[in-house]
Amino acid sequence: MTGSWVPVALSSDLPSGTVLPARIPAGPLALWRSQSGRVAASADRCPHRGMSLSHGFVRGETLSCIYHGWSYGQAGNCLRIPAHPGLTPPEAIRTVTHPVAEADGVVWVAVGEPAATPPGLAGLVPLRSITAFVDIAAIEAAAGAKATAEGLLDAGDIRLLLSSTREGETLIHVLIAADAGPAERIAAARTAEALRRRAEDIQKKGAAQ
Amino acid sequence: MAGEAQNPLKERMTIHGELDADSFVPWIRRHAAKLGVTQAITHHSPDRIEIDLSGAPELIDMLEVGCLLGPIDVWVETIDRRPVGNAGG
Amino acid sequence: MTVGPMFDEWYPVGIFGQLDAAGRKTMLMGEPIVVARDDNGDAKVTDGTGRSLPVCVRYGHVWTSLGDPKKKLFAIPEADQPGRRFVDVGVVRVRCSPLRAVENFLDIAHFPFVHTDILGAEPHTEVQAYKVEIREDVDEVWATQVEFYQPQAAKSASGGITTQYMYRVAGPTSTVLYKTCPPRPSEWDVITLFVQPLAEDLCDVWPWMALFDDDTPMTDLIHFQQTIFLQDRSILENQVPRLLPLDPGMEMPTRADLTSVAYRRWLKRHNFTYGAQLVAQ
C-alpha cells in the first residue's frame, strides 16, 4: 500500500451546498459538497489567478471561485468563465482534485494509492472535531497510547482519530460508541478537551521532543 | 474535446522581442497545453518566434495575453496574429 | 530582496489633515520612518537615522521617497477642479504585496462576485474588449474604452447604469480610475488608490476620491468606498502567492486581465520588482 486515507473532516460539518478549507500533508484543500450531496476535494487554489477556492461558493453541482466566478465540476474541470460567457472551457482547464470517500460519518481524502476503502472505525462514530496546536507525538504522550498508521488512537477512556494537518498542528476527531447517550457524549468531549490541553503543555515544555 | 465544438480558429502568431532565452519555447508549449490550444512552433530565433495555433478564439487570446509576459528573462515587444484558414467545418 | 529602482519613487505615507507634531511612526519598504508636522505646520518625514527625506503634500496626502525621485509627483488635474468633493477615505492595512493591491484595483471582472449588487451583479458578467497601452510620453499604463453594467456605480447613482471606466497607473503603487459621474455625464469621477509598501507582502492602502456629488454626506461617501475596499481585502489576503507574479506560468490570464498584464509588463520593463515574484512556482 503506497498511500493512505486522511480523515479531513466530519460529514456533519459539511452540509450540501457548502465548501470548507481542509489540509493534507500535500497542501490546503477546498472540500465541498454539491447540492445533491456528493463530496469533492480540490486543491485550494483557482488556476486563474491563485485565489483560495475554499472562499468560493457551491451552486448546484459546481464550485465557483469568489474572485472572478470561474466554476468547476466535481472532477475539477472548468465549466464556466463568466467574463467570457461564449467560451466552453476545454478539458485542459481544471483544478487538481483528490479522490474522496465518506464512511461512518468521516470524510476521507486519498493520498497516493491507498487501499480501496478507508479504514473502519470498529462501530464507533464521530462526535466532533477539535484542532490542537501540537504534533501527534504530543497527543500520544498525553494519552499514554500510540496511534495506528491510519491515525486511530485508543486511550481506554477516549478514542480519537488523528490527522496531521501541518507541522505543529493536528486535527482530532473525537469518536464515541454509536449508541452513546448524552452523558457519555459530554464526558467524551470533556476528556478530549483535557487531553488537548495536556498535549499542548507537553509540547510547550518540549517533553514530547 | 468540448472546446473544439465551437468553430476553432487556425492562426499564426508572430512574437517579436528579446526572446533568446531557451526558457520561452518550453514556456509557450506548457502554457498552450494548459489552455487546451494546439500549437506548432514553426520558427524561433533570438528576436522572433512563429507559432501555428488552433483552438477557440478566447483560448488563443489567453495564450497571447500570457505570452505578452512569458518568463522573467524574456522581453516581448509585440505579438501579431493572422488567421490561416479555418480548421474543420 | 534589494529594493532596486522602486527606491527612487514617491509613495503615500499619511493623510496631511490628520498629521500632528508628535507624528506617526510607519515603514516604507522595510525602512522605519516618522511622518510629522514641523514648527510651521509643514509635513516632515525622517528616516531611522533622523535624516530628512524628500517630501511633498498632494491630493490630501503626504508623499515621500527613500531615494531621490527623478520626477515630480504625477499630476491629477481634476484635483484642482472647482465643484468637486475631495474625500480622504482613510487607510486599510492589507497582508499582501502592494503590487497585488494595485492589480486588484485595475480589474473589473471581479465586480459581480466581490462587490455584488454594488459595482456589479450576475448575469452582467461579460467583459467586453477594451484598449490597453503603455503611453510612452508619460510612461504610464492606460486602459480606456472600458465599460461595465453597475447596479450602484456610486452613491450619486440612482439605479443601475452602464459605467464607462478609464484606468491609469501613474506610479509603481499609485493608480487612478476615472469613471462615469452619474450627476454630470460629461465629467469623470476620480477614484485613486495610493498604496504605501510597508514590506514586500504588507501594505497600507490610502484610497482618495475627487467626485461631483453635492448631496451625499461625507461619512456616507467614505463608508461606500471603505465597504468596497474591505471586500477586496478578503480576496487579497487569501490569494497565492502573496507577491505579484511577473511570470504568469502558474496562472491563466484571459483577455479581461489585459490591464493587469500591461501593469506587470510595465513593472518588468522598469525592474520595479519590490513585492513581485520573478519565477512562477
Side-chain angles (χ1 to χ4, degrees):
Chain A
M1 195 180 66
T2 62
S4 61
W5 288 98
V6 177
V8 289
L10 300 186
S11 304
S12 54
D13 292 334
L14 188 62
S16 289
T18 61
V19 54
L20 54 81
R23 281 194 80 91
I24 52 174
L29 296 176
L31 200 62
W32 59 286
R33 191 189 297 276
S34 68
Q35 219 51 53
S36 69
R38 289 168 46 228
V39 180
S42 154
D44 197 2
R45 181 183 181 283
C46 179
H48 171 225
R49 206 186 262 181
M51 179 62 194
S52 157
L53 283 174
S54 59
H55 281 69
F57 55 93
V58 176
R59 208 183 261 169
E61 300 304 298
T62 70
L63 171 68
S64 295
C65 176
I66 190 68
Y67 202 180
H68 300 94
W70 288 33
S71 26
Y72 302 90
Q74 291 255 307
N77 50 319
C78 181
L79 298 169
R80 189 172 78 109
I81 298 178
H84 303 285
L87 170 68
T88 303
E91 282 298 310
I93 300 184
R94 59 189 316 99
T95 66
V96 171
T97 55
H98 300 270
V100 173
E102 213 171 355
D104 309 322
V106 176
V107 179
W108 305 77
V109 166
V111 171
E113 302 294 330
T117 57
L121 299 182
L124 298 173
V125 293
L127 172 65
R128 56 179 293 227
S129 308
I130 46 179
T131 298
F133 295 100
V134 290
D135 295 314
I136 288 185
I139 297 172
E140 290 175 325
K146 274 265 177 279
T148 66
E150 294 95 0
L152 278 160
L153 186 146
D154 185 340
D157 60 348
I158 186 86
R159 277 168 297 276
L160 307 174
L161 178 59
L162 307 177
S163 150
S164 166
T165 41
R166 72 179 103 197
E167 237 246 297
E169 186 185 289
T170 303
L171 182 57
I172 303 171
H173 305 299
V174 183
L175 303 179
I176 51 172
D179 56 5
E184 287 164 279
R185 300 167 80 91
I186 293 168
R190 287 211 180 104
T191 308
E193 184 50 27
L195 186 126
R196 181 178 72 90
R197 287 220 187 87
R198 263 203 320 281
E200 285 179 347
D201 291 345
I202 290 172
Q203 178 121 348
K204 277 198 203 76
K205 295 200 191 73
Q209 249 49 20
Chain B
M1 265 251 296
E4 294 307 327
Q6 298 146 312
N7 42 26
L9 285 182
K10 226 172 163 1
E11 280 194 21
R12 164 153 302 172
M13 182 179 285
T14 305
I15 304 176
H16 287 278
E18 290 144 36
L19 317 175
D20 57 12
D22 44 27
S23 56
F24 199 20
V25 167
W27 189 97
I28 292 170
R29 292 207 170 103
R30 263 196 319 274
H31 212 68
K34 214 168 55 160
L35 300 174
V37 169
T38 314
Q39 49 78 25
I41 294 180
T42 53
H43 168 86
H44 71 90
S45 60
D47 59 1
R48 181 164 59 87
I49 291 179
E50 293 202 359
I51 318 162
D52 281 349
L53 298 165
S54 170
E58 294 91 341
L59 298 178
I60 297 183
D61 282 354
M62 286 170 79
L63 184 65
E64 177 190 356
V65 168
C67 287
L68 279 169
L69 281 164
I72 197 66
D73 48 12
V74 157
W75 176 255
V76 170
E77 204 52 56
T78 60
I79 296 183
D80 308 309
R81 288 165 52 179
R82 57 181 177 73
V84 288
N86 222 321
Chain C
M1 151 77 92
T2 58
V3 175
M6 278 174 72
F7 196 73
D8 294 313
E9 295 290 321
W10 289 105
Y11 298 99
V13 287
I15 292 178
F16 183 63
Q18 292 170 1
L19 268 192
D20 58 25
R24 173 175 176 267
K25 282 202 184 66
T26 182
M27 298 280 287
L28 187 51
M29 296 188 284
E31 297 291 330
I33 57 172
V34 176
V35 185
R37 242 186 232 268
D38 63 17
D39 311 340
N40 33 38
D42 296 328
K44 186 163 154 2
V45 181
T46 48
D47 71 6
T49 66
R51 180 174 65 94
S52 281
L53 296 178
V55 66
C56 75
V57 176
R58 201 67 181 91
Y59 319 127
H61 288 72
V62 179
W63 299 76
T64 192
S65 175
L66 294 175
D68 62 56
K70 310 285 179 293
K71 299 189 284 188
K72 286 203 334 303
L73 186 67
F74 54 88
I76 304 180
E78 292 80 1
D80 304 318
Q81 203 177 0
R84 283 185 184 268
R85 302 270 297 281
F86 300 116
V87 185
D88 297 338
V89 176
V91 64
V92 178
R93 171 144 311 172
V94 191
R95 285 194 313 279
C96 74
S97 159
L99 310 178
R100 273 292 200 199
V102 170
E103 173 186 64
N104 166 263
F105 187 81
L106 300 173
D107 175 274
I108 60 172
H110 72 285
F111 287 165
F113 303 98
V114 179
H115 309 300
T116 310
D117 296 336
I118 304 174
L119 299 185
E122 295 181 272
H124 312 280
T125 60
E126 179 159 13
V127 174
Q128 303 295 344
Y130 55 86
K131 183 167 172 279
V132 184
E133 59 185 319
I134 295 178
R135 293 186 179 170
E136 300 299 341
D137 50 354
V138 288
D139 188 16
E140 292 179 351
V141 180
W142 278 80
T144 55
Q145 297 156 26
V146 178
E147 63 173 43
F148 207 70
Y149 173 80
Q150 300 200 304
Q152 179 75 43
K155 284 305 275 184
S156 58
S158 53
I161 56 168
T162 296
T163 309
Q164 307 295 325
Y165 270 81
M166 289 197 301
Y167 284 97
R168 168 189 180 198
V169 176
T173 62
S174 294
T175 178
V176 184
L177 87 78
Y178 303 82
K179 73 185 282 185
T180 307
C181 170
R184 295 202 194 185
S186 64
E187 294 277 0
W188 296 100
D189 270 343
V190 170
I191 299 167
T192 74
L193 209 72
F194 302 146
V195 180
Q196 175 181 349
L198 303 173
E200 292 216 65
D201 59 359
L202 189 66
C203 55
D204 274 347
V205 175
W206 306 87
W208 177 75
M209 303 195 287
L211 310 173
F212 286 108
D213 177 345
D214 300 332
D215 313 322
T216 308
M218 183 59 83
T219 42
D220 292 355
L221 290 176
I222 291 173
H223 179 66
F224 180 83
Q225 197 56 30
Q226 279 179 341
T227 303
I228 287 173
F229 199 75
L230 290 174
Q231 293 171 328
D232 286 315
R233 182 168 68 175
S234 66
I235 299 293
L236 289 165
E237 293 195 337
N238 291 290
Q239 216 177 347
V240 174
R242 284 228 183 295
L243 304 186
L244 180 70
L246 295 190
D247 168 355
M250 287 292 291
E251 296 169 304
M252 289 183 183
T254 72
R255 187 165 33 80
D257 298 307
L258 216 45
T259 313
S260 155
V261 168
Y263 172 53
R264 294 184 189 191
R265 276 170 61 82
W266 183 77
L267 292 171
K268 183 173 179 177
R269 189 167 74 172
H270 284 289
N271 202 10
F272 287 157
T273 54
Y274 188 83
Q277 176 200 60
L278 304 187
V279 180
Q281 69 225 104

